PDB file of all heavy atoms in Angstrom:
ATOM      1  N   ILE V  36     -37.211   5.144  34.362  1.00 91.00           N
ATOM      2  CA  ILE V  36     -36.311   5.026  33.182  1.00 91.00           C
ATOM      3  C   ILE V  36     -34.922   5.524  33.537  1.00 91.00           C
ATOM      4  O   ILE V  36     -34.812   6.613  34.160  1.00 91.00           O
ATOM      5  CB  ILE V  36     -36.851   5.842  31.985  1.00 91.00           C
ATOM      6  CG1 ILE V  36     -38.319   5.542  31.730  1.00 91.00           C
ATOM      7  CG2 ILE V  36     -36.036   5.679  30.767  1.00 91.00           C
ATOM      8  CD1 ILE V  36     -39.017   6.397  30.714  1.00 91.00           C
ATOM      9  N   ASN V 133     -41.427  -2.253  35.291  1.00 81.00           N
ATOM     10  CA  ASN V 133     -41.490  -0.999  35.866  1.00 81.00           C
ATOM     11  C   ASN V 133     -40.123  -0.252  35.839  1.00 81.00           C
ATOM     12  O   ASN V 133     -39.934   0.802  36.396  1.00 81.00           O
ATOM     13  CB  ASN V 133     -41.927  -1.071  37.339  1.00 81.00           C
ATOM     14  CG  ASN V 133     -41.057  -1.985  38.143  1.00 81.00           C
ATOM     15  OD1 ASN V 133     -40.050  -2.501  37.682  1.00 81.00           O
ATOM     16  ND2 ASN V 133     -41.527  -2.207  39.394  1.00 81.00           N
ATOM     17  N   GLU V 139     -28.550   6.446  25.104  1.00 80.00           N
ATOM     18  CA  GLU V 139     -28.115   7.804  25.015  1.00 80.00           C
ATOM     19  C   GLU V 139     -28.511   8.450  23.671  1.00 80.00           C
ATOM     20  O   GLU V 139     -28.859   9.657  23.601  1.00 80.00           O
ATOM     21  CB  GLU V 139     -26.582   7.913  25.168  1.00 80.00           C
ATOM     22  CG  GLU V 139     -26.013   9.317  25.128  1.00 80.00           C
ATOM     23  CD  GLU V 139     -26.458  10.187  26.271  1.00 80.00           C
ATOM     24  OE1 GLU V 139     -26.945   9.612  27.335  1.00 80.00           O
ATOM     25  OE2 GLU V 139     -26.361  11.410  26.173  1.00 80.00           O
ATOM     26  N   TYR V 182     -22.745  -1.973  15.524  1.00 90.00           N
ATOM     27  CA  TYR V 182     -21.662  -2.892  15.190  1.00 90.00           C
ATOM     28  C   TYR V 182     -21.061  -3.395  16.498  1.00 90.00           C
ATOM     29  O   TYR V 182     -21.249  -2.809  17.613  1.00 90.00           O
ATOM     30  CB  TYR V 182     -20.586  -2.143  14.412  1.00 90.00           C
ATOM     31  CG  TYR V 182     -20.080  -0.881  15.019  1.00 90.00           C
ATOM     32  CD1 TYR V 182     -19.028  -0.902  15.956  1.00 90.00           C
ATOM     33  CD2 TYR V 182     -20.637   0.321  14.649  1.00 90.00           C
ATOM     34  CE1 TYR V 182     -18.560   0.280  16.517  1.00 90.00           C
ATOM     35  CE2 TYR V 182     -20.189   1.537  15.253  1.00 90.00           C
ATOM     36  CZ  TYR V 182     -19.168   1.492  16.180  1.00 90.00           C
ATOM     37  OH  TYR V 182     -18.717   2.650  16.732  1.00 90.00           O
ATOM     38  N   THR V 209     -26.784 -11.550  -3.213  1.00 90.00           N
ATOM     39  CA  THR V 209     -26.433 -10.138  -3.036  1.00 90.00           C
ATOM     40  C   THR V 209     -25.007  -9.997  -2.473  1.00 90.00           C
ATOM     41  O   THR V 209     -24.623 -10.740  -1.599  1.00 90.00           O
ATOM     42  CB  THR V 209     -27.423  -9.479  -2.147  1.00 90.00           C
ATOM     43  OG1 THR V 209     -28.725  -9.531  -2.729  1.00 90.00           O
ATOM     44  CG2 THR V 209     -27.065  -7.996  -1.850  1.00 90.00           C
ATOM     45  N   LEU V 237     -19.622  11.892   4.560  1.00 55.00           N
ATOM     46  CA  LEU V 237     -19.403  12.276   5.931  1.00 55.00           C
ATOM     47  C   LEU V 237     -19.261  11.143   6.903  1.00 55.00           C
ATOM     48  O   LEU V 237     -18.430  11.170   7.782  1.00 55.00           O
ATOM     49  CB  LEU V 237     -20.569  13.177   6.423  1.00 55.00           C
ATOM     50  CG  LEU V 237     -20.815  14.451   5.577  1.00 55.00           C
ATOM     51  CD1 LEU V 237     -22.061  15.177   6.041  1.00 55.00           C
ATOM     52  CD2 LEU V 237     -19.577  15.420   5.696  1.00 55.00           C
ATOM     53  N   ALA V 256     -33.726 -14.026   3.984  1.00 91.00           N
ATOM     54  CA  ALA V 256     -34.617 -13.965   5.147  1.00 91.00           C
ATOM     55  C   ALA V 256     -34.105 -12.892   6.105  1.00 91.00           C
ATOM     56  O   ALA V 256     -32.929 -12.423   6.082  1.00 91.00           O
ATOM     57  CB  ALA V 256     -34.654 -15.312   5.816  1.00 91.00           C
ATOM     58  N   ASP V 394       5.750 -28.761  -0.270  1.00 79.00           N
ATOM     59  CA  ASP V 394       4.821 -29.487   0.546  1.00 79.00           C
ATOM     60  C   ASP V 394       3.428 -29.075   0.261  1.00 79.00           C
ATOM     61  O   ASP V 394       2.980 -27.949   0.636  1.00 79.00           O
ATOM     62  CB  ASP V 394       5.184 -29.257   2.035  1.00 79.00           C
ATOM     63  CG  ASP V 394       4.324 -30.106   2.996  1.00 79.00           C
ATOM     64  OD1 ASP V 394       3.595 -30.997   2.476  1.00 79.00           O
ATOM     65  OD2 ASP V 394       4.362 -29.856   4.198  1.00 79.00           O
ATOM     66  N   ILE V 419      29.541  -5.365  -5.604  1.00 74.00           N
ATOM     67  CA  ILE V 419      30.637  -4.583  -6.201  1.00 74.00           C
ATOM     68  C   ILE V 419      31.038  -3.452  -5.207  1.00 74.00           C
ATOM     69  O   ILE V 419      32.195  -3.190  -4.991  1.00 74.00           O
ATOM     70  CB  ILE V 419      30.290  -4.072  -7.563  1.00 74.00           C
ATOM     71  CG1 ILE V 419      30.095  -5.260  -8.532  1.00 74.00           C
ATOM     72  CG2 ILE V 419      31.341  -3.105  -8.077  1.00 74.00           C
ATOM     73  CD1 ILE V 419      29.580  -4.844  -9.916  1.00 74.00           C
ATOM     74  N   HIS V 486      91.707  22.652 -50.898  1.00 75.00           N
ATOM     75  CA  HIS V 486      91.458  22.759 -52.308  1.00 75.00           C
ATOM     76  C   HIS V 486      92.771  22.709 -53.132  1.00 75.00           C
ATOM     77  O   HIS V 486      92.820  22.009 -54.152  1.00 75.00           O
ATOM     78  CB  HIS V 486      90.692  24.072 -52.544  1.00 75.00           C
ATOM     79  CG  HIS V 486      90.327  24.265 -53.986  1.00 75.00           C
ATOM     80  ND1 HIS V 486      89.380  23.486 -54.672  1.00 75.00           N
ATOM     81  CD2 HIS V 486      90.824  25.138 -54.925  1.00 75.00           C
ATOM     82  CE1 HIS V 486      89.316  23.855 -55.899  1.00 75.00           C
ATOM     83  NE2 HIS V 486      90.171  24.890 -56.111  1.00 75.00           N
ATOM     84  N   ALA V 503     102.420   5.836 -66.582  1.00 77.00           N
ATOM     85  CA  ALA V 503     101.955   4.464 -66.800  1.00 77.00           C
ATOM     86  C   ALA V 503     101.769   4.188 -68.238  1.00 77.00           C
ATOM     87  O   ALA V 503     102.138   3.074 -68.767  1.00 77.00           O
ATOM     88  CB  ALA V 503     100.629   4.271 -66.054  1.00 77.00           C
TER      89      ALA V 503
END
Side-chain angles (χ1 to χ4, degrees):
I36 308 172
N133 57 5
E139 182 65 18
Y182 53 86
T209 298
L237 300 176
D394 184 11
I419 294 174
H486 182 69

